Amino acid sequence: MAVLKIKTYPAKVLRQVASPVKDFTGKTQQLIDDMIETMLDAEGIGLAAPQVGVSKRLIIVGSSLKDGSAEDLLVVVNPEIAYSEGDVLSTEGCLSIPKFSTTVDRRALVFIKGLDREGNPIEIEATRLLSRALQHEIDHLNGILLLDRVNTEDAAAQEIGK
Ligand code: NI
């Protein structure tokens, strides 16, 4: 395993629409392992393949990684939001946009369909932080960044409050 370099804004790969993963052989397994190590090293709660320069539809999320363990780690290949409901506003950051955070509207609940690292179909229902992390990482696969999701009303309100 290896810690990969995380691409930061305005790297072009962060703006590309990633292509579906079709093979689950050694190269993909290596990428997944490297992404896990990279995310743990960066103390992130999610990472998408474009963030390490690979324009493929592959994400990793975990909501209890603060102790550096790989428990509760979720690898989702070719993820799709099949259903979502509710709206919730909260603060987000991104490993590809260091020292920046903003409030972002997200769906409260998401139902995700995708594949696991072996290519088997999986379904995930998520709320709270896991839901938010999944939506953030799926955005990365479509070239969408936090900068595109800024809740301008809330940002303006904070500005006035200063
Ligand atoms: Ni991000």
Side-chain angles (χ1 to χ4, degrees):
M1 297 221 282
V3 173
L4 305 172
K5 184 157 168 45
I6 296 176
K7 303 281 180 185
T8 54
Y9 179 82
K12 271 191 189 148
V13 68
L14 296 174
R15 286 308 198 181
Q16 288 168 3
V17 176
S19 46
V21 174
K22 287 181 182 149
D23 88 281
F24 293 83
T25 56
K27 203 175 162 191
T28 298
Q29 298 305 319
Q30 178 74 50
L31 173 63
I32 292 168
D33 288 339
D34 288 349
M35 281 175 62
I36 290 170
E37 194 170 340
T38 303
M39 188 181 79
L40 294 174
D41 179 70
E43 296 181 1
I45 60 162
L47 191 69
Q51 291 184 275
V52 294
V54 180
S55 195
K56 291 281 179 191
R57 304 189 79 81
L58 164 56
I59 63 171
I60 292 168
V61 293
S63 49
S64 57
L65 295 165
K66 293 234 158 36
D67 59 355
S69 86
E71 250 177 86
D72 297 330
L73 199 80
L74 204 53
V75 175
V76 196
V77 178
N78 302 339
E80 277 177 38
I81 298 175
Y83 174 78
S84 66
E85 67 176 37
D87 294 293
V88 60
L89 186 67
S90 189
T91 306
E92 271 178 44
C94 178
L95 292 173
S96 291
I97 313 173
K99 297 181 185 136
F100 175 78
S101 65
T102 186
T103 47
V104 180
D105 281 302
R106 295 287 185 191
R107 300 297 274 165
L109 177 146
V110 288
F111 185 74
I112 308 276
K113 287 185 175 185
L115 305 172
D116 69 10
R117 63 181 295 165
E118 272 86 43
N120 306 305
I122 50 170
E123 298 178 342
I124 304 145
E125 188 180 282
T127 58
R128 304 169 70 89
L129 185 58
L130 183 59
S131 169
R132 181 164 290 272
L134 285 163
Q135 291 171 75
H136 178 112
E137 301 314 327
I138 290 171
D139 266 356
H140 274 301
L141 305 183
N142 296 318
I144 297 167
L145 295 172
L146 212 47
L147 302 168
D148 312 315
R149 295 281 193 198
V150 174
N151 180 301
T152 48
E153 227 170 86
D154 187 75
Q158 284 186 22
E159 201 56 44
I160 291 163
K162 268 179 195 166

